[in-house]
């Protein structure tokens, strides 16, 4: 998977609701800033759960051009979509890892310039 | 958990467009958090950016509407519902959504912790060791005779045992605490797991892998005899503690791990499948790697 070029990539946020593997503060901060940014985005409770039940919504989320996904390890996310019969495109999809990376880094990758403006407005 | 693969779920949209009053940042955040915690899919329609396109799913639009739009209408085959959230806190909105889900005859997200193996096919060599090992029927083969996860909900929560058995580190449990099982990159040292294989063999009461390799009558008899001896049971108990610590295998699973006979039988069936595949691939000129006698170490 190669990162999307355009800043207007679609955003998908995974809340990892059924386990505590993503640090709570990272999730909260990313969700808070996404909400405050004015950007449209899709949020799902738990991609793992959707993959296990082969939720058809994963097709909708996997298709439609450049996408940035805030979730966990890219290898896990890639094969979760594959397992549900909704493989992610090889190009134009970027997975941000909220398990390992800071909320700031994830937001910067998701929102770019907008992330800076949102935090400036707050301070 | 009973999976309802055909069950529909509502896509919830937090609507702030024409004909409605914008939702305050804090209310939007608490509403979204509460709905996500309840297991829902939520789309935020903001002033810029795009979201996933509408499909045949039913949609529930939540907003502070000037006037509540009229009854549900079909779009792309799905229904659109509207509900007003003005003046409601997140708990009241959760209740409202629950009743809307019920009315729409959609599925309420469940309580099941999604714990199941996910195969990284870029690493998998289709050796079928996971299928042979798992006692709970989680694995199967697909139409192309490739290993597949067939019964996700048969998997024992928090048990990563099959990922330890996989020689290629191709089995992920995305909610596991550490790598590479959680999806982190696979390092060379992750593949050096001979010590773990020895532990598993010991737990099972003998030299399973060597038994599978020789498959001679003599070896089988010797193996069965060993399993009958209390020595094997003692060894099994001795290994429990170490394995629990090393491999994170729950008690329930440890006590029901496959016997040597089970493993041999599963290996035989998997080998049969591989043979069939080999025969088919000869005619179809399938480029995929075919499991050989050598792969099985026989
Ligand atoms: S994809 Fe990753 S972040 Fe999302 S639910 Fe699964 S483990 Fe959690
Ligand atoms: S044990 Fe690993 S490599 Fe072998 S079939 Fe299973 S997932 Fe593939």
């Amino acid at each position: 998977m190669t990162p999307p070029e355009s800043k207007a990539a679609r955003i998908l946020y995974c809340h990892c609701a059924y386990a505590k593997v993503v640090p709570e503060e990272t999730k909260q901060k990313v969700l808070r800033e996404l909400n405050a940014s004015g950007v449209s985005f899709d949020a799902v409770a738990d991609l793992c759960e959707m993959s296990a039940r082969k939720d058809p919504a994963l097709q909708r989320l996997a298709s439609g051009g450049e996408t940035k996904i805030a979730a966990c390890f890219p290898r896990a996310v890639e094969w979760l979509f594959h397992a549900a019969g909704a493989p992610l495109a090889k190009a134009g999809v970027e997975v941000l890892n909220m398990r390992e990376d800071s909320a700031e880094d994830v937001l910067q990758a998701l929102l770019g310039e907008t992330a800076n403006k949102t935090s400036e407005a707050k301070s | 958990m009973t999976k309802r693969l055909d069950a529909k779920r509502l896509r919830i949209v937090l609507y702030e467009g024409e004909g409605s009053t914008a939702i305050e940042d804090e209310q939007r955040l608490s509403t979204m958090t509460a709905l996500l915690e309840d297991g829902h899919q939520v789309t935020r329609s903001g002033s810029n950016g795009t979201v996933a396109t509408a499909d045949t799913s039913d949609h529930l639009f939540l907003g502070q509407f000037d006037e509540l739009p009229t009854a549900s209408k079909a779009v792309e085959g799905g229904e659109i519902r509207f509900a007003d959230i003005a003046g409601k806190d997140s708990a009241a909105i959760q209740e409202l959504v629950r009743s809307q889900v019920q009315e729409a005859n959609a599925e309420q997200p469940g309580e099941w912790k999604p714990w199941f193996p996910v195969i990284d096919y870029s690493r998998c060599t289709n050796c079928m060791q996971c299928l042979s090992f798992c006692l709970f029927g989680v694995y199967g083969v697909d139409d192309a005779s490739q290993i597949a996860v067939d019964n996700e909900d048969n998997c024992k929560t928090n048990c990563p045992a099959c990922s330890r058995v996989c020689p290629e580190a191709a089995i992920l449990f995305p909610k596991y605490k550490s790598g590479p099982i959680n999806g982190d990159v696979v390092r060379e040292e992750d593949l050096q797991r001979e010590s773990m294989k020895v532990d598993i063999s010991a737990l099972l009461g003998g030299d399973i892998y060597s038994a599978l390799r020789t498959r001679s009558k003599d070896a089988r008899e010797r193996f069965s005899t060993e399993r009958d001896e209390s020595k094997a049971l003692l060894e099994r108990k001795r290994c429990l503690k170490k394995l629990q610590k090393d491999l994170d295998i729950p008690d329930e699973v440890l006590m029901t791990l496959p016997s040597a006979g089970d493993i041999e039988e599963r290996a035989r069936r998997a080998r049969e499948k591989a043979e069939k595949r080999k025969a088919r691939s000869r005619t179809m000129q399938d480029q995929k790697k075919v499991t050989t006698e050598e792969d099985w170490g026989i």
Side-chain angles (χ1 to χ4, degrees), chain A residues 14 16-17 21-22 45-48 71-72 77 80 99, chain B residues 174-175:
Chain A
C14 177
C16 203
V21 294
V22 173
D46 196 295
L47 281 174
C48 286
C72 58
V77 175
L80 278 167
R99 265 181 100 155
Chain B
K175 293 194 190 303

Side-chain angles (χ1 to χ4, degrees), chain B residues 119 123-131 139 147 162 165-168 170-171:
Chain B
I119 299 174
R123 304 191 63 83
C124 174
T125 57
N126 215 25
C127 72
M128 308 267 171
Q129 290 208 40
C130 48
L131 183 143
Y139 293 94
I147 190 79
C162 57
V165 171
C166 173
E168 307 298 335
I171 299 177

